[in-house]
Amino acid sequence: MDLFEYQGKEFFAEYGMPVSPGELAFTTEEAVTAAENLGCPVMVKAQVHTGGRGKAGGVKFAASIDEVSEHAENILGLDINGHIVERLWIEKASDIAEEYYASFTLDRSAKKHLGMLSAEGGVEIETVAEENPEAIARIWIDPVEGLSEGNCRNWVKEAALPEQANEGAVEILLKLYEAYVDGDADLVEINPLILTEDGKVHVLDAKVTLDSNSVFRHENYVDFDQTQTRDEREMAAHSKGLQYVGLEGEVGVIANGAGLAMSTVDVVNQVGGRPANFLDIGGGANADVMTAALEVINNDPAVRSIFINIFGGITRGEEIANGIIDALDRVEMRSPIVIRLDGTNADEGRAILEPHLSQTLQVAPTMLDGAEQAVALAKGMNN
Amino acid sequence: MSIFVNSETKVIYQGLTGSQGKYYGLLNRDYGTKVVAGTNPKKAGTDVEGIPIFASVAEAVGETGATASCIFIPAPGVRSAVLEAAQGGVDFIVAITEGVPAHDEALFYNQLRKDFPNVQLLGPNCPGIISPGECNIGITAGHIALPGGPVGIVSRSGTLTYQALHELKEKGIGCTTCVGIGGDPVPGTSFIDCLAAFEADPDTKAVMMIGEIGGSAEEEAAEFISNNMTKPISAYIAGVTAPPGKKMGHAGAIVSGGKGTAKAKMEALEEAGVKVGNNPTEAGDLMAEIVSQL
């Protein structure tokens, strides 16, 4: 789950990190009111789940209320990498002397937490990593041992921040690590972490990704789930508890298991088609989950054919076939369907499907054949 | 022969009294797995269809001599279940449960390395392990695998593993052991652990590897293969066309910051001499070709 900047800052503030006062605004009027409350100058900042806001014109300095109004007008509705700006964060402006970078994330190959700190902040860390890798001080932290103050101090020294920033940086980084672990974050990033003109280290931006698997011990994360960026199809699928990712094509894909679903998307591409989605219905493949899956795909106006790719393991072919037939009774389908059913009792399952087959409900012997048939149907070549 | 588990392996099921644990525990016993005990502190002294329930893993190990444990506990309890199993004295732990927080996984992975270096954890979020004809721990349908070898399988994906077992069986090719390492960010057992074990197993003559997008486990495996493997390998990587920044079902299957793409993984494996298929069927055909030349 990705947090907006303002949510990230609220999260950081709970752990005692210094952030600027600010208010959320959905309209130009609200932005103006927020700026009046805070007092100019302020920053007008687009709240979107993507990077590159500054370059896209989504972050502006406003010296006066008139400027707040002008910037808010321009930024609301702006398209930043496909994300439309619907909310603004109006924040008291800071006097910036220097910009740094700080983050914690999981290093999957080291299987330890990785802290990164750089005196070169304000730009994308990937760019720094590429052009000037020695400018990033890295620390690997054993989750069992945690981050001690001594190790944190050495790490900050290694990053060669100016002397006057060291104390403040150590204090913030220890709190940032606490927020990262305690909050079950996949990523916490401050870019930039700034030194102000009057010598204080301060959090100027917040990028936070939380682990959705940890919701059971963080009840408030349900609120963050509500503000995730999802297209309409993804929203509908999410509300039905389906693992769905919207794609750009015309062939709807349903498969059981994440790997098989991914593989099905690949194969549709390989035979010259374009998948409309990734959809994993899990191992069971019963009528209820199949109905939910078909409904979601049926509601996608781009879909012109559907490929159902099921491998029966513990769940037998008959059960899967009956589930599909049952689901088709419940949903009025707009697009033709190709089914590939393999694995346990696949023959028995295919026999159940047999009497229902037609131009618009076909079976295929293999995954490749199924993908080819579905792609041909989407292109209208079989009609 | 097989790796990690065989016909002698005695297994405890943590969560045997729950619905999933009971369902798969009994299926595993029907397959021939030595399911010797279950644990549940509230139901100690009872049994599940003749399988005795103990209060803790330590007690179950003491009474039965079990050396492996299989965890069917809901995600919030997995962290303590893994540590209980290690402390209880088993040396092989299979955690089936999905949805375990990544911080928990990182924590118990490192805790095991430090305090229980001889314990091998498989999972979480994995289908388990099967040495066909000998032992099946987890949720794999046993009958889709043909016993006897010569192929060892290691995979990050459940259903693609079944697909692989099925395709090999259709071609009359058997499997020594099939290990599902799971799709989470910190898997207890890596590709490399399995490749090393297959290399050392005299009955395994070739290895099939199924990877997916995200992380760099396949690239690390490729490096290990270049330096250490003498046995031929075929591979398939799922997610060639996955869009960046989207989790494809598995918590670990995500391309981020241009890293973890299927293309990079396939190239690394090909450079290491692995025969890489563009889809599971092609990888199966490549394996059949390898087996015919053994």
Side-chain angles (χ1 to χ4, degrees), chain A residues 168-186:
Chain A
V170 167
E171 206 174 302
I172 288 176
L173 289 168
L174 286 169
K175 287 172 178 164
L176 185 63
Y177 183 74
E178 190 194 344
Y180 168 71
V181 173
D182 193 53
D184 276 295
D186 290 336

Side-chain angles (χ1 to χ4, degrees), chain B residues 24-267:
Chain B
Y24 291 106
L26 293 175
L27 274 182
N28 289 171
R29 183 174 71 170
D30 290 345
Y31 187 77
T33 307
K34 290 203 164 105
V35 180
V36 296
T39 60
N40 181 339
K42 289 181 196 137
K43 293 185 178 165
T46 64
D47 73 275
V48 171
E49 309 222 350
I51 305 165
I53 304 298
F54 298 92
S56 68
V57 172
E59 214 176 291
V61 167
E63 292 294 323
T64 64
T67 56
S69 174
C70 181
I71 295 173
F72 273 103
I73 306 266
V78 168
R79 186 168 74 188
S80 55
V82 167
L83 295 174
E84 186 199 325
Q87 280 156 2
V90 299
D91 54 27
F92 192 70
I93 304 169
V94 182
I96 305 296
T97 314
E98 69 177 311
V100 177
H103 279 268
D104 285 3
E105 293 182 359
L107 185 77
F108 58 65
Y109 179 87
N110 284 285
Q111 188 98 55
L112 291 187
R113 293 202 88 168
K114 195 188 303 250
D115 298 336
F116 307 96
N118 298 321
V119 173
Q120 182 80 44
L121 169 70
L122 177 61
N125 189 19
C126 76
I129 179 168
I130 175 168
S131 293
E134 298 192 51
C135 180
N136 184 10
I137 305 174
I139 61 175
T140 304
H143 60 85
I144 60 172
L146 190 67
V151 179
I153 300 176
V154 55
S155 170
R156 263 172 80 182
S157 150
T159 30
L160 284 179
T161 315
Y162 309 158
Q163 176 75 37
L165 282 169
H166 176 74
E167 296 214 9
L168 291 185
K169 189 181 180 183
E170 297 269 283
K171 298 180 202 305
I173 300 169
C175 173
T176 50
T177 299
C178 174
V179 193
I181 59 176
D184 271 4
V186 192
T189 293
S190 67
F191 279 121
I192 293 174
D193 296 327
C194 298
L195 290 168
F198 282 132
E199 179 70 14
D201 174 37
D203 289 337
T204 301
K205 310 287 187 204
V207 181
M208 189 162 171
M209 212 181 120
I210 299 167
E212 61 190 31
I213 54 163
S216 55
E218 289 80 2
E219 287 87 337
E220 286 149 27
E223 198 184 331
F224 178 85
I225 290 166
S226 289
N227 299 328
N228 302 284
M229 293 294 288
T230 60
K231 297 176 181 178
I233 301 169
S234 84
Y236 168 65
I237 308 292
V240 179
T241 52
K246 297 274 190 182
K247 276 182 190 172
M248 303 301 271
H250 286 155
I254 180 165
V255 175
S256 56
K259 297 216 177 81
T261 65
K263 190 162 171 278
K265 291 169 187 296
M266 290 163 79
E267 283 170 5

Side-chain angles (χ1 to χ4, degrees), chain A residues 129-347:
Chain A
E130 216 162 272
E131 289 169 5
N132 194 9
E134 64 277 12
I136 303 171
R138 293 177 168 81
I139 184 171
W140 279 268
I141 305 157
D142 186 322
V144 181
E145 283 158 14
L147 177 62
S148 70
E149 194 180 324
N151 287 344
C152 186
R153 220 165 266 287
N154 291 338
W155 174 39
V156 170
K157 219 170 271 170
E158 200 193 318
L161 308 184
E163 187 62 37
Q164 59 181 99
N166 281 357
E167 234 11 74
V170 167
E171 206 174 302
I172 288 176
L173 289 168
L174 286 169
K175 287 172 178 164
L176 185 63
Y177 183 74
E178 190 194 344
Y180 168 71
V181 173
D182 193 53
D184 276 295
D186 290 336
L187 168 74
V188 290
E189 183 183 84
I190 305 174
N191 190 20
L193 177 70
I194 60 161
L195 183 67
T196 60
E197 298 285 3
D198 55 358
K200 293 200 176 73
V201 182
H202 189 80
V203 175
L204 205 62
D205 196 5
K207 188 172 174 196
V208 177
T209 307
L210 300 171
D211 182 355
S212 48
N213 283 345
S214 73
V215 173
F216 66 82
R217 57 186 172 216
H218 303 284
E219 277 174 23
N220 58 321
Y221 286 6
V222 176
D223 300 339
F224 297 137
D225 184 62
Q226 306 292 323
T227 55
Q228 292 308 294
T229 306
R230 297 186 178 101
D231 69 22
E232 266 178 50
R233 302 173 296 170
E234 287 176 341
M235 227 128 66
H238 185 70
S239 71
K240 291 174 197 283
L242 297 170
Q243 297 277 353
Y244 179 99
V245 176
L247 301 171
E248 312 270 276
E250 300 81 32
V251 180
V253 168
I254 298 176
N256 65 334
L260 190 64
M262 238 186 291
S263 187
T264 310
V265 166
D266 287 347
V267 171
V268 167
N269 269 302
Q270 278 165 16
V271 300
R274 298 198 317 160
N277 65 277
F278 161 99
L279 204 175
D280 166 20
I281 56 168
N286 64 30
D288 288 340
V289 68
M290 188 62 80
T291 303
L294 286 173
E295 276 170 353
V296 167
I297 290 192
N298 209 31
N299 286 336
D300 180 350
V303 167
R304 300 195 57 198
S305 73
I306 300 167
F307 180 23
I308 302 178
N309 187 10
I310 306 287
F311 189 91
I314 301 274
T315 312
R316 297 188 310 274
E318 306 89 295
E319 296 173 64
I320 294 162
N322 283 324
I324 293 173
I325 298 301
D326 200 358
L328 287 174
D329 276 345
R330 297 191 219 166
V331 189
E332 177 96 27
M333 297 304 300
R334 287 188 307 107
S335 316
I337 297 174
V338 178
I339 302 167
R340 175 262 182 171
L341 177 57
D342 215 335
T344 307
N345 290 10
D347 288 339

